[in-house]
Amino acid sequence: MAKVAFLGLGVMGYPMAGHLRAKGHEVTVYNRSPAKAQAWVAQHGGVSAPTPADAAKGQEIVFACVGNDDDLRSVTIGEGGAFAAMEKGAIFVDHTTASANVARELDAAATAAGFGFVDAPVSGGQAGAENGVLTVMCGGAPEIYARVEPVIAAFARMCKLMGPAGSGQLTKMVNQICIAGLVQGLSEGVHFAKRAGLDVEAMLEVISKGAAGSWQMENRGKTMNAGKFDFGFAVDWMRKDLGIVLDEARRNDATLPVTALVDQFYADVQKLGGGRWDTSSLLKRLEK
């Protein structure tokens, strides 16, 4: 069992920290809104801290899951940030979906200060976090990763080291590229089936068992057909992620025409008032 801190108790971080506590780890939490941290402690036990630095002091591993690069810098190297309080030999594990550049930046700062850093974005959405079955893509030094992998297992069904710092974030970018194309294809398929007069649920049952099958089809096809778009990962967050992807593509000269197009389709969904709808709501812009 480890002494750990968890910074950021949003829809992902709140249950992830809960799984750590349930597995017997000693957990200190920090959240920008103190009431959320107090609610977590009331539900799970452990303790809350008023700043990231206070949460990180004396911990073996400090986890974070916040909004974006700026939020991540704030809780690490900003005023009252965790890095100033972390002890030599400790490890910082970042589950934020952020840029590869900020991962490399923070890895360098951690190394200079004598502690480890792992960028470890996750996939699986709110349901994956709540059920403890996330997929975790990691970047960092092998010896550092080996120390945190057994602890990450509290909320992951798959965890793998992908390479040096930044590699986890790059892998998450590939994940989002693939999701964007899949959801658009599924949206067009459901839309076409409706216009063609097919029984959409029967159609999904059949083709999901063939080459067109995917996680998105199995888990979102029926809810899309029912016009339900409140299943976790929001359009606003996907646009943030795709912005990171497209920035990185400009740097590495990758050509991503479908990703760029779907990003604009998500902008259309935002204009429809769907910023908080889940990502399967691409169907809505076809039916407007």
Side-chain angles (χ1 to χ4, degrees):
M1 297 300 103
K3 286 187 64 179
V4 307
F6 206 105
L7 315 179
L9 299 174
V11 296
M12 301 295 286
Y14 193 103
M16 291 164 74
H19 286 297
L20 288 167
R21 179 66 178 160
K23 293 294 185 181
H25 300 293
E26 185 178 328
V27 184
T28 299
V29 295
Y30 162 81
N31 194 67
R32 186 163 49 188
S33 303
K36 195 73 169 287
Q38 292 161 8
W40 187 92
V41 170
Q43 181 177 351
H44 296 287
V47 297
S48 65
T51 69
D54 290 319
K57 188 174 182 180
Q59 308 295 350
E60 298 169 63
I61 306 171
V62 179
F63 295 91
C65 190
V66 294
N68 55 37
D69 285 20
D70 289 340
D71 294 331
L72 182 56
R73 289 189 178 98
S74 176
V75 299
T76 54
I77 57 177
E79 183 178 354
F83 277 22
M86 290 184 66
E87 298 180 357
K88 292 186 184 300
I91 304 172
F92 190 94
V93 179
D94 175 38
H95 292 300
T96 308
T97 295
S99 70
N101 279 352
V102 77
R104 298 182 189 112
E105 172 190 330
L106 295 179
D107 176 69
T111 300
F115 58 89
F117 179 87
V118 177
D119 58 292
V122 302
S123 180
Q126 183 176 349
E130 290 172 349
N131 294 321
V133 292
L134 292 169
T135 295
V136 188
M137 306 149 244
C138 299
E143 64 275 13
I144 300 297
Y145 170 78
R147 290 172 55 198
V148 299
E149 183 184 39
V151 184
I152 291 173
F155 47 76
R157 67 176 172 185
M158 174 67 181
C159 185
K160 188 173 181 65
L161 181 65
M162 304 305 301
S167 299
Q169 297 296 351
L170 292 170
T171 304
K172 179 62 183 287
M173 292 177 208
V174 176
N175 186 79
Q176 303 306 73
I177 291 166
C178 294
I179 288 174
L182 281 170
V183 176
Q184 179 60 23
L186 179 57
S187 297
E188 292 182 17
V190 170
H191 173 64
F192 178 91
K194 287 183 174 183
R195 291 298 178 94
L198 289 171
D199 180 327
V200 176
E201 290 203 8
M203 176 274 296
L204 290 168
E205 182 181 2
V206 171
I207 72 169
S208 67
K209 302 303 185 289
S214 67
W215 186 97
Q216 295 293 337
M217 185 176 291
E218 289 281 358
N219 291 274
R220 294 290 176 264
K222 290 182 180 180
T223 57
M224 290 167 70
N225 183 46
K228 298 178 180 178
F229 305 107
D230 56 352
F231 295 92
F233 195 70
V235 167
D236 288 342
W237 302 337
M238 186 61 153
R239 286 218 71 206
K240 183 266 290 186
D241 289 1
L242 293 181
I244 293 170
V245 168
L246 294 169
D247 283 346
E248 187 67 32
R250 283 187 281 271
R251 280 190 287 271
N252 68 18
D253 204 28
T255 304
L256 304 177
V258 172
T259 303
L261 186 61
V262 175
D263 178 56
Q264 292 307 302
F265 291 164
Y266 278 124
D268 292 342
V269 175
Q270 288 176 318
K271 291 173 185 175
L272 293 172
R276 304 301 294 178
W277 296 341
D278 73 63
T279 51
S280 69
S281 59
L282 281 173
L283 178 63
K284 291 285 283 186
R285 66 175 294 279
L286 301 175
E287 299 184 335
K288 68 180 192 292

